[in-house]
Amino acid sequence: MEKTLYLVRHGETLFNVQKKIQGWCDSPLTDLGIEQAKTTQEYFQGHSINFDQCFSSTSERTSDTLELITDQPYTRLKGLKEWNFGRLEGENEIVNPPLPYRDFFVTYGGEAEFSFQKRAVETCEKLIQNPGDIFLAVSHGAFCGRFRAYWDEHSQPEWKLESVKQGIGNCCIFKYIYDQEKFRLVNIITQDQQKAFLKQRAI
């Protein structure tokens, strides 16, 4: 039986604006981040999408985002947390290496890429086993990226969506179908697309 997972990145935060590395450390949503989450709420409501189960990482920025998207009860999971960047947490993004990061952060006490990706995949595989058919999980940019990369590699070629040219923006929605123990990415809805839908709906 198919299930649906909506994986959402949190809204814009203070550290996003300040260009600081933000993995396991945290910072509050900005006014724009709050508005982004409200836009995502309106997008889901506009499509009459109701969630059977909701989850967020244990970071404040994700739980705050989820609470703006829906007033449903939810579960906070450590497994949904962002990549641990070790001693580089809170530093300026200028110290980041070029992508892909690989195991750069291990030297600074952070997570290895494989370990992080494995955690992302296993967490979503476990949460999707809960009762229900439609799930919401609010997580982080690198989490969304590494989760997608895994299933792009382990899915049938015809299942793969074309790459999104821009980065993984705040409150970007990734829609996955889960069937036969595999996640298939079927849609990516950016903030601009969410706003365009709401604008068209208001006409």
Side-chain angles (χ1 to χ4, degrees), residues 10 43 82-83 88 98 118 135 203:
H10 61 79
Y43 176 86
E82 180 62 292
W83 198 328
L88 296 185
K118 184 172 184 287
F135 296 77
I203 295 175

Side-chain angles (χ1 to χ4, degrees), residues 9-62:
R9 186 190 176 195
H10 61 79
E12 181 191 74
T13 67
L14 178 63
F15 278 11
N16 290 153
V17 173
Q18 294 177 341
K19 305 297 183 184
K20 290 186 176 182
I21 295 172
Q22 184 177 223
W24 282 22
C25 70
D26 208 1
S27 70
L29 297 179
T30 62
D31 289 343
L32 175 58
I34 291 170
E35 289 304 313
Q36 290 169 335
K38 289 179 179 178
T39 295
T40 302
Q41 175 202 42
E42 292 174 14
Y43 176 86
F44 282 130
Q45 289 179 343
H47 284 85
S48 299
I49 296 170
N50 298 306
F51 309 110
D52 295 309
Q53 300 270 356
C54 299
F55 302 87
S56 81
S57 85
T58 52
S59 298
E60 181 180 285
R61 61 191 187 271
T62 54

